[in-house]
Amino acid sequence: LDVGNTRLTAAVVNGRGETLAHWEQANPRAEGAAAGLAALQAMVARAREQAPEAAAIGIGFGGPVDLSTGLIRRSHHTSGWEGVALAEVLGAASGLPAYLDNDANAGGLGEALFGAGRGVDSLLYVNVGTGIGGAVIIGGHIHHGAHSNAGEIGHVVVTLDFGPVCTCGKLGCLEAWASGDALGAAARQAADEGRLAGSSLAATAAEDLTGRSVATAASAGDAAALAILQTAGRYLGVALAAAANVLDPALVVVGGGVSEGNPPYLEAARQSFAACATPPVAAGTAVVPALLGYQAGVVGAAAIALQALNAVE
Ligand SMILES: [Zn+2]
């Protein structure tokens, strides 16, 4: 199960990370956590009808999870999730063992076991969507850290004392510079400051200046949109290099809707990564696109359960 901010996704996944069935529905987030929980229980019931031999439930949750207690800390978009023991509740209702982690950790483990990081012992994973999440995989396992907070590369500050305000309240976080929402905000600021003359974005209404519209304009050759993308990508590379200089991972994997199908963004990140990483890391650690695409969430969630059961094939 992948519990996203806008969508709930379920899949039946085998021990090789192959998706045998896959479906999704809108997250009823306006109705609060209870409605989301009921929807997830119905999805589990449907999955069990399709796969009576299912051995476990893996859950990737779009928000911070306290791994020491198994409780959700919060959802940034839906009220009522604070303190919910999601794995325990779904496990008790289904009679199956259930395993929970946050969605970025799930995505990172999925890439490590079944995607771009297959065969690699350590990797740094970043998911660039509306926000920026990340995961650290060491020895083939998620590194959670002392406070279940490892991998939060989106809240690495890349510009001290200046820069856009992040969703977390700080100035200059990577997420505020390089996420999909940040691309939209940068385009709106450029419009406000009259810097979009000659750009196709100049004719776009402010509320339609989003990460997607910037990426679309850039791929059509729009210079202003391309500059916004490249600035964002450069900040991503700076943060990735800082993390890689500390961790020395074998690989850096970049996934999520903003980076996928957006070569100038990833290329800008690669260039600043090469400039900021120490020589052995710059030479030895490749920055590669994720492979699992839109299935990363559910395959990653399954990976958590498969690894816990020692059932990865
Ligand atoms: Zn932040």
Side-chain angles (χ1 to χ4, degrees):
L1 298 169
D2 181 40
V3 185
N5 292 326
T6 58
R7 283 176 303 171
L8 306 177
T9 310
V12 177
V13 180
N14 67 17
R16 291 183 293 278
E18 296 161 349
T19 300
L20 308 178
H22 178 273
W23 65 99
E24 60 184 49
Q25 65 176 79
N27 185 341
R29 56 184 179 173
E31 298 160 53
L37 194 52
L40 292 169
Q41 285 179 322
M43 292 176 112
V44 170
R46 179 172 165 186
R48 298 203 72 195
E49 282 171 21
Q50 299 201 12
E53 73 281 19
I57 304 168
I59 310 154
F61 185 82
V65 173
D66 184 340
L67 272 297
S68 67
T69 61
L71 303 180
I72 288 167
R73 287 197 167 123
R74 77 190 71 84
S75 159
H76 297 297
H77 301 270
T78 308
S79 62
W81 279 111
E82 298 80 4
V84 172
L86 182 55
E88 197 177 307
V89 170
L90 292 179
S94 64
L96 291 175
Y99 303 93
L100 170 70
D101 210 317
N102 82 51
D103 55 356
N105 282 340
L109 186 64
E111 288 292 335
L113 297 181
F114 303 120
R118 196 190 283 252
V120 155
D121 186 57
S122 61
L123 65 82
L124 176 62
Y125 170 76
V126 61
N127 183 295
V128 186
T130 54
I132 295 184
V136 176
I137 307 293
I138 297 174
H141 289 79
I142 298 165
H143 174 71
H144 287 108
H147 312 96
S148 303
N149 207 56
E152 288 287 357
I153 194 168
H155 303 289
V156 167
V157 171
V158 291
T159 52
L160 192 61
D161 298 334
F162 73 96
V165 179
C166 184
T167 53
C168 74
K170 290 185 301 196
L171 284 179
C173 284
L174 176 65
E175 178 168 297
W177 279 111
S179 64
D181 284 352
L183 293 172
R188 292 191 294 276
Q189 187 179 358
D192 286 348
E193 295 172 359
R195 289 187 280 113
L196 290 182
S199 165
S200 62
L201 294 176
T204 306
E207 64 269 24
D208 295 327
L209 286 173
T210 61
R212 187 174 299 276
S213 62
V214 171
T216 302
S219 63
D222 187 280
L226 191 61
I228 290 170
L229 264 189
Q230 288 172 329
T231 298
R234 273 198 292 275
Y235 280 115
L236 176 65
V238 168
L240 289 174
N245 283 348
V246 174
L247 295 167
D248 191 11
L251 194 65
V252 174
V253 179
V254 183
V258 171
S259 65
E260 287 167 19
N262 200 348
Y265 179 85
L266 188 59
E267 192 47 42
R270 280 189 175 125
Q271 286 179 12
S272 62
F273 179 87
C276 298
T278 51
V281 172
T285 300
V287 178
V288 302
L291 286 184
L292 295 177
Y294 74 98
Q295 295 191 333
V298 281
V299 173
I304 289 169
L306 287 162
Q307 190 173 63
L309 295 177
N310 204 17
V312 176
E313 291 175 26

PDB file of all heavy atoms in Angstrom, residues 32-64:
ATOM      1  N   GLY A  32     -10.491  13.207   6.562  1.00  0.00           N
ATOM      2  CA  GLY A  32      -9.632  12.869   7.696  1.00  0.00           C
ATOM      3  C   GLY A  32      -9.106  11.450   7.645  1.00  0.00           C
ATOM      4  O   GLY A  32      -9.389  10.665   6.724  1.00  0.00           O
ATOM      5  N   ALA A  33      -8.339  11.104   8.683  1.00  0.00           N
ATOM      6  CA  ALA A  33      -7.623   9.837   8.693  1.00  0.00           C
ATOM      7  C   ALA A  33      -8.551   8.630   8.756  1.00  0.00           C
ATOM      8  O   ALA A  33      -8.251   7.580   8.177  1.00  0.00           O
ATOM      9  CB  ALA A  33      -6.649   9.819   9.866  1.00  0.00           C
ATOM     10  N   ALA A  34      -9.689   8.756   9.465  1.00  0.00           N
ATOM     11  CA  ALA A  34     -10.580   7.597   9.615  1.00  0.00           C
ATOM     12  C   ALA A  34     -11.068   7.117   8.251  1.00  0.00           C
ATOM     13  O   ALA A  34     -11.151   5.902   7.993  1.00  0.00           O
ATOM     14  CB  ALA A  34     -11.752   7.951  10.519  1.00  0.00           C
ATOM     15  N   ALA A  35     -11.393   8.056   7.364  1.00  0.00           N
ATOM     16  CA  ALA A  35     -11.866   7.677   6.030  1.00  0.00           C
ATOM     17  C   ALA A  35     -10.738   7.023   5.237  1.00  0.00           C
ATOM     18  O   ALA A  35     -10.958   6.051   4.504  1.00  0.00           O
ATOM     19  CB  ALA A  35     -12.392   8.905   5.293  1.00  0.00           C
ATOM     20  N   GLY A  36      -9.522   7.548   5.394  1.00  0.00           N
ATOM     21  CA  GLY A  36      -8.379   6.945   4.708  1.00  0.00           C
ATOM     22  C   GLY A  36      -8.127   5.529   5.198  1.00  0.00           C
ATOM     23  O   GLY A  36      -7.858   4.618   4.409  1.00  0.00           O
ATOM     24  N   LEU A  37      -8.225   5.341   6.497  1.00  0.00           N
ATOM     25  CA  LEU A  37      -8.010   4.017   7.080  1.00  0.00           C
ATOM     26  C   LEU A  37      -9.056   3.023   6.576  1.00  0.00           C
ATOM     27  O   LEU A  37      -8.727   1.876   6.229  1.00  0.00           O
ATOM     28  CB  LEU A  37      -8.061   4.139   8.609  1.00  0.00           C
ATOM     29  CG  LEU A  37      -7.552   2.987   9.443  1.00  0.00           C
ATOM     30  CD1 LEU A  37      -6.145   2.575   9.018  1.00  0.00           C
ATOM     31  CD2 LEU A  37      -7.563   3.379  10.915  1.00  0.00           C
ATOM     32  N   ALA A  38     -10.305   3.453   6.509  1.00  0.00           N
ATOM     33  CA  ALA A  38     -11.363   2.574   6.005  1.00  0.00           C
ATOM     34  C   ALA A  38     -11.098   2.208   4.548  1.00  0.00           C
ATOM     35  O   ALA A  38     -11.279   1.045   4.137  1.00  0.00           O
ATOM     36  CB  ALA A  38     -12.720   3.262   6.146  1.00  0.00           C
ATOM     37  N   ALA A  39     -10.648   3.180   3.764  1.00  0.00           N
ATOM     38  CA  ALA A  39     -10.350   2.906   2.349  1.00  0.00           C
ATOM     39  C   ALA A  39      -9.200   1.915   2.229  1.00  0.00           C
ATOM     40  O   ALA A  39      -9.233   1.003   1.385  1.00  0.00           O
ATOM     41  CB  ALA A  39     -10.002   4.217   1.632  1.00  0.00           C
ATOM     42  N   LEU A  40      -8.179   2.050   3.082  1.00  0.00           N
ATOM     43  CA  LEU A  40      -7.038   1.126   3.035  1.00  0.00           C
ATOM     44  C   LEU A  40      -7.474  -0.280   3.430  1.00  0.00           C
ATOM     45  O   LEU A  40      -7.028  -1.275   2.839  1.00  0.00           O
ATOM     46  CB  LEU A  40      -5.914   1.623   3.950  1.00  0.00           C
ATOM     47  CG  LEU A  40      -5.230   2.913   3.481  1.00  0.00           C
ATOM     48  CD1 LEU A  40      -4.319   3.460   4.580  1.00  0.00           C
ATOM     49  CD2 LEU A  40      -4.416   2.664   2.204  1.00  0.00           C
ATOM     50  N   GLN A  41      -8.352  -0.392   4.408  1.00  0.00           N
ATOM     51  CA  GLN A  41      -8.835  -1.719   4.801  1.00  0.00           C
ATOM     52  C   GLN A  41      -9.597  -2.378   3.659  1.00  0.00           C
ATOM     53  O   GLN A  41      -9.459  -3.582   3.424  1.00  0.00           O
ATOM     54  CB  GLN A  41      -9.710  -1.608   6.056  1.00  0.00           C
ATOM     55  CG  GLN A  41      -8.859  -1.370   7.308  1.00  0.00           C
ATOM     56  CD  GLN A  41      -9.674  -1.227   8.572  1.00  0.00           C
ATOM     57  OE1 GLN A  41     -10.742  -0.629   8.554  1.00  0.00           O
ATOM     58  NE2 GLN A  41      -9.150  -1.740   9.678  1.00  0.00           N
ATOM     59  N   ALA A  42     -10.380  -1.584   2.936  1.00  0.00           N
ATOM     60  CA  ALA A  42     -11.107  -2.137   1.789  1.00  0.00           C
ATOM     61  C   ALA A  42     -10.127  -2.565   0.694  1.00  0.00           C
ATOM     62  O   ALA A  42     -10.341  -3.587   0.013  1.00  0.00           O
ATOM     63  CB  ALA A  42     -12.088  -1.092   1.250  1.00  0.00           C
ATOM     64  N   MET A  43      -9.042  -1.814   0.522  1.00  0.00           N
ATOM     65  CA  MET A  43      -8.043  -2.186  -0.490  1.00  0.00           C
ATOM     66  C   MET A  43      -7.333  -3.483  -0.100  1.00  0.00           C
ATOM     67  O   MET A  43      -7.043  -4.319  -0.956  1.00  0.00           O
ATOM     68  CB  MET A  43      -7.031  -1.050  -0.674  1.00  0.00           C
ATOM     69  CG  MET A  43      -7.643   0.198  -1.324  1.00  0.00           C
ATOM     70  SD  MET A  43      -6.471   1.584  -1.426  1.00  0.00           S
ATOM     71  CE  MET A  43      -6.223   1.685  -3.212  1.00  0.00           C
ATOM     72  N   VAL A  44      -7.060  -3.658   1.180  1.00  0.00           N
ATOM     73  CA  VAL A  44      -6.437  -4.907   1.637  1.00  0.00           C
ATOM     74  C   VAL A  44      -7.381  -6.078   1.359  1.00  0.00           C
ATOM     75  O   VAL A  44      -6.954  -7.138   0.872  1.00  0.00           O
ATOM     76  CB  VAL A  44      -6.081  -4.835   3.137  1.00  0.00           C
ATOM     77  CG1 VAL A  44      -5.667  -6.209   3.652  1.00  0.00           C
ATOM     78  CG2 VAL A  44      -4.974  -3.821   3.367  1.00  0.00           C
ATOM     79  N   ALA A  45      -8.680  -5.886   1.656  1.00  0.00           N
ATOM     80  CA  ALA A  45      -9.650  -6.965   1.425  1.00  0.00           C
ATOM     81  C   ALA A  45      -9.687  -7.341  -0.056  1.00  0.00           C
ATOM     82  O   ALA A  45      -9.705  -8.530  -0.415  1.00  0.00           O
ATOM     83  CB  ALA A  45     -11.032  -6.523   1.906  1.00  0.00           C
ATOM     84  N   ARG A  46      -9.662  -6.336  -0.920  1.00  0.00           N
ATOM     85  CA  ARG A  46      -9.685  -6.615  -2.361  1.00  0.00           C
ATOM     86  C   ARG A  46      -8.407  -7.334  -2.791  1.00  0.00           C
ATOM     87  O   ARG A  46      -8.456  -8.275  -3.597  1.00  0.00           O
ATOM     88  CB  ARG A  46      -9.823  -5.293  -3.117  1.00  0.00           C
ATOM     89  CG  ARG A  46      -9.825  -5.463  -4.622  1.00  0.00           C
ATOM     90  CD  ARG A  46     -10.160  -4.159  -5.314  1.00  0.00           C
ATOM     91  NE  ARG A  46      -9.818  -4.225  -6.739  1.00  0.00           N
ATOM     92  CZ  ARG A  46      -9.905  -3.188  -7.569  1.00  0.00           C
ATOM     93  NH1 ARG A  46     -10.315  -2.019  -7.127  1.00  0.00           N
ATOM     94  NH2 ARG A  46      -9.572  -3.320  -8.843  1.00  0.00           N
ATOM     95  N   ALA A  47      -7.278  -6.920  -2.257  1.00  0.00           N
ATOM     96  CA  ALA A  47      -6.010  -7.581  -2.607  1.00  0.00           C
ATOM     97  C   ALA A  47      -6.034  -9.044  -2.181  1.00  0.00           C
ATOM     98  O   ALA A  47      -5.532  -9.918  -2.898  1.00  0.00           O
ATOM     99  CB  ALA A  47      -4.842  -6.852  -1.936  1.00  0.00           C
ATOM    100  N   ARG A  48      -6.627  -9.314  -1.041  1.00  0.00           N
ATOM    101  CA  ARG A  48      -6.642 -10.700  -0.554  1.00  0.00           C
ATOM    102  C   ARG A  48      -7.582 -11.573  -1.381  1.00  0.00           C
ATOM    103  O   ARG A  48      -7.358 -12.780  -1.509  1.00  0.00           O
ATOM    104  CB  ARG A  48      -7.023 -10.735   0.918  1.00  0.00           C
ATOM    105  CG  ARG A  48      -6.010  -9.982   1.762  1.00  0.00           C
ATOM    106  CD  ARG A  48      -6.032 -10.433   3.190  1.00  0.00           C
ATOM    107  NE  ARG A  48      -5.455 -11.768   3.331  1.00  0.00           N
ATOM    108  CZ  ARG A  48      -5.609 -12.523   4.405  1.00  0.00           C
ATOM    109  NH1 ARG A  48      -6.356 -12.100   5.404  1.00  0.00           N
ATOM    110  NH2 ARG A  48      -5.025 -13.697   4.486  1.00  0.00           N
ATOM    111  N   GLU A  49      -8.609 -10.957  -1.944  1.00  0.00           N
ATOM    112  CA  GLU A  49      -9.470 -11.728  -2.863  1.00  0.00           C
ATOM    113  C   GLU A  49      -8.672 -12.110  -4.103  1.00  0.00           C
ATOM    114  O   GLU A  49      -8.791 -13.214  -4.631  1.00  0.00           O
ATOM    115  CB  GLU A  49     -10.692 -10.893  -3.279  1.00  0.00           C
ATOM    116  CG  GLU A  49     -11.770 -10.824  -2.219  1.00  0.00           C
ATOM    117  CD  GLU A  49     -12.844  -9.818  -2.580  1.00  0.00           C
ATOM    118  OE1 GLU A  49     -12.989  -9.475  -3.782  1.00  0.00           O
ATOM    119  OE2 GLU A  49     -13.542  -9.357  -1.651  1.00  0.00           O
ATOM    120  N   GLN A  50      -7.847 -11.189  -4.578  1.00  0.00           N
ATOM    121  CA  GLN A  50      -7.069 -11.454  -5.797  1.00  0.00           C
ATOM    122  C   GLN A  50      -5.891 -12.368  -5.526  1.00  0.00           C
ATOM    123  O   GLN A  50      -5.446 -13.090  -6.418  1.00  0.00           O
ATOM    124  CB  GLN A  50      -6.555 -10.133  -6.382  1.00  0.00           C
ATOM    125  CG  GLN A  50      -7.681  -9.204  -6.778  1.00  0.00           C
ATOM    126  CD  GLN A  50      -7.232  -8.153  -7.788  1.00  0.00           C
ATOM    127  OE1 GLN A  50      -6.159  -8.246  -8.353  1.00  0.00           O
ATOM    128  NE2 GLN A  50      -8.081  -7.176  -8.020  1.00  0.00           N
ATOM    129  N   ALA A  51      -5.354 -12.302  -4.311  1.00  0.00           N
ATOM    130  CA  ALA A  51      -4.161 -13.085  -3.984  1.00  0.00           C
ATOM    131  C   ALA A  51      -4.336 -13.702  -2.599  1.00  0.00           C
ATOM    132  O   ALA A  51      -3.772 -13.221  -1.617  1.00  0.00           O
ATOM    133  CB  ALA A  51      -2.923 -12.192  -4.023  1.00  0.00           C
ATOM    134  N   PRO A  52      -5.115 -14.792  -2.508  1.00  0.00           N
ATOM    135  CA  PRO A  52      -5.366 -15.407  -1.192  1.00  0.00           C
ATOM    136  C   PRO A  52      -4.080 -15.899  -0.534  1.00  0.00           C
ATOM    137  O   PRO A  52      -4.035 -16.059   0.685  1.00  0.00           O
ATOM    138  CB  PRO A  52      -6.288 -16.588  -1.537  1.00  0.00           C
ATOM    139  CG  PRO A  52      -6.839 -16.294  -2.886  1.00  0.00           C
ATOM    140  CD  PRO A  52      -5.816 -15.479  -3.596  1.00  0.00           C
ATOM    141  N   GLU A  53      -3.039 -16.115  -1.346  1.00  0.00           N
ATOM    142  CA  GLU A  53      -1.777 -16.613  -0.794  1.00  0.00           C
ATOM    143  C   GLU A  53      -0.892 -15.487  -0.257  1.00  0.00           C
ATOM    144  O   GLU A  53       0.231 -15.742   0.188  1.00  0.00           O
ATOM    145  CB  GLU A  53      -1.027 -17.412  -1.875  1.00  0.00           C
ATOM    146  CG  GLU A  53      -0.394 -16.580  -2.991  1.00  0.00           C
ATOM    147  CD  GLU A  53      -1.370 -16.115  -4.079  1.00  0.00           C
ATOM    148  OE1 GLU A  53      -2.586 -16.114  -3.840  1.00  0.00           O
ATOM    149  OE2 GLU A  53      -0.891 -15.730  -5.162  1.00  0.00           O
ATOM    150  N   ALA A  54      -1.381 -14.248  -0.291  1.00  0.00           N
ATOM    151  CA  ALA A  54      -0.564 -13.110   0.162  1.00  0.00           C
ATOM    152  C   ALA A  54      -0.031 -13.365   1.566  1.00  0.00           C
ATOM    153  O   ALA A  54      -0.740 -13.873   2.445  1.00  0.00           O
ATOM    154  CB  ALA A  54      -1.391 -11.832   0.138  1.00  0.00           C
ATOM    155  N   ALA A  55       1.240 -13.011   1.778  1.00  0.00           N
ATOM    156  CA  ALA A  55       1.916 -13.365   3.029  1.00  0.00           C
ATOM    157  C   ALA A  55       2.023 -12.203   3.995  1.00  0.00           C
ATOM    158  O   ALA A  55       2.208 -12.420   5.199  1.00  0.00           O
ATOM    159  CB  ALA A  55       3.319 -13.896   2.722  1.00  0.00           C
ATOM    160  N   ALA A  56       1.948 -10.987   3.506  1.00  0.00           N
ATOM    161  CA  ALA A  56       2.162  -9.842   4.383  1.00  0.00           C
ATOM    162  C   ALA A  56       1.695  -8.567   3.680  1.00  0.00           C
ATOM    163  O   ALA A  56       1.461  -8.556   2.468  1.00  0.00           O
ATOM    164  CB  ALA A  56       3.645  -9.698   4.739  1.00  0.00           C
ATOM    165  N   ILE A  57       1.584  -7.519   4.481  1.00  0.00           N
ATOM    166  CA  ILE A  57       1.237  -6.198   3.957  1.00  0.00           C
ATOM    167  C   ILE A  57       2.425  -5.271   4.201  1.00  0.00           C
ATOM    168  O   ILE A  57       2.948  -5.204   5.316  1.00  0.00           O
ATOM    169  CB  ILE A  57       0.007  -5.614   4.700  1.00  0.00           C
ATOM    170  CG1 ILE A  57      -1.181  -6.576   4.610  1.00  0.00           C
ATOM    171  CG2 ILE A  57      -0.358  -4.239   4.149  1.00  0.00           C
ATOM    172  CD1 ILE A  57      -2.317  -6.200   5.560  1.00  0.00           C
ATOM    173  N   GLY A  58       2.856  -4.587   3.165  1.00  0.00           N
ATOM    174  CA  GLY A  58       3.865  -3.536   3.311  1.00  0.00           C
ATOM    175  C   GLY A  58       3.193  -2.201   3.063  1.00  0.00           C
ATOM    176  O   GLY A  58       2.358  -2.085   2.161  1.00  0.00           O
ATOM    177  N   ILE A  59       3.554  -1.202   3.852  1.00  0.00           N
ATOM    178  CA  ILE A  59       2.894   0.107   3.749  1.00  0.00           C
ATOM    179  C   ILE A  59       3.954   1.208   3.682  1.00  0.00           C
ATOM    180  O   ILE A  59       4.824   1.299   4.547  1.00  0.00           O
ATOM    181  CB  ILE A  59       2.010   0.383   4.982  1.00  0.00           C
ATOM    182  CG1 ILE A  59       1.088  -0.798   5.283  1.00  0.00           C
ATOM    183  CG2 ILE A  59       1.195   1.674   4.785  1.00  0.00           C
ATOM    184  CD1 ILE A  59       0.679  -0.888   6.742  1.00  0.00           C
ATOM    185  N   GLY A  60       3.857   2.040   2.662  1.00  0.00           N
ATOM    186  CA  GLY A  60       4.661   3.262   2.598  1.00  0.00           C
ATOM    187  C   GLY A  60       3.736   4.435   2.861  1.00  0.00           C
ATOM    188  O   GLY A  60       2.750   4.625   2.145  1.00  0.00           O
ATOM    189  N   PHE A  61       4.036   5.222   3.877  1.00  0.00           N
ATOM    190  CA  PHE A  61       3.141   6.315   4.283  1.00  0.00           C
ATOM    191  C   PHE A  61       3.758   7.668   3.930  1.00  0.00           C
ATOM    192  O   PHE A  61       4.940   7.909   4.215  1.00  0.00           O
ATOM    193  CB  PHE A  61       2.869   6.238   5.794  1.00  0.00           C
ATOM    194  CG  PHE A  61       1.863   7.260   6.263  1.00  0.00           C
ATOM    195  CD1 PHE A  61       0.508   7.016   6.124  1.00  0.00           C
ATOM    196  CD2 PHE A  61       2.283   8.468   6.809  1.00  0.00           C
ATOM    197  CE1 PHE A  61      -0.424   7.963   6.533  1.00  0.00           C
ATOM    198  CE2 PHE A  61       1.351   9.422   7.218  1.00  0.00           C
ATOM    199  CZ  PHE A  61      -0.005   9.162   7.083  1.00  0.00           C
ATOM    200  N   GLY A  62       2.956   8.550   3.350  1.00  0.00           N
ATOM    201  CA  GLY A  62       3.448   9.862   2.938  1.00  0.00           C
ATOM    202  C   GLY A  62       3.526  10.850   4.076  1.00  0.00           C
ATOM    203  O   GLY A  62       2.802  11.842   4.117  1.00  0.00           O
ATOM    204  N   GLY A  63       4.405  10.577   5.013  1.00  0.00           N
ATOM    205  CA  GLY A  63       4.604  11.447   6.167  1.00  0.00           C
ATOM    206  C   GLY A  63       5.524  10.746   7.133  1.00  0.00           C
ATOM    207  O   GLY A  63       5.809   9.558   6.976  1.00  0.00           O
ATOM    208  N   PRO A  64       6.022  11.470   8.151  1.00  0.00           N
ATOM    209  CA  PRO A  64       6.986  10.858   9.061  1.00  0.00           C
ATOM    210  C   PRO A  64       6.377   9.775   9.949  1.00  0.00           C
ATOM    211  O   PRO A  64       5.250   9.898  10.412  1.00  0.00           O
ATOM    212  CB  PRO A  64       7.487  12.042   9.891  1.00  0.00           C
ATOM    213  CG  PRO A  64       6.485  13.123   9.707  1.00  0.00           C
ATOM    214  CD  PRO A  64       5.801  12.900   8.402  1.00  0.00           C
TER     215      PRO A  64
END
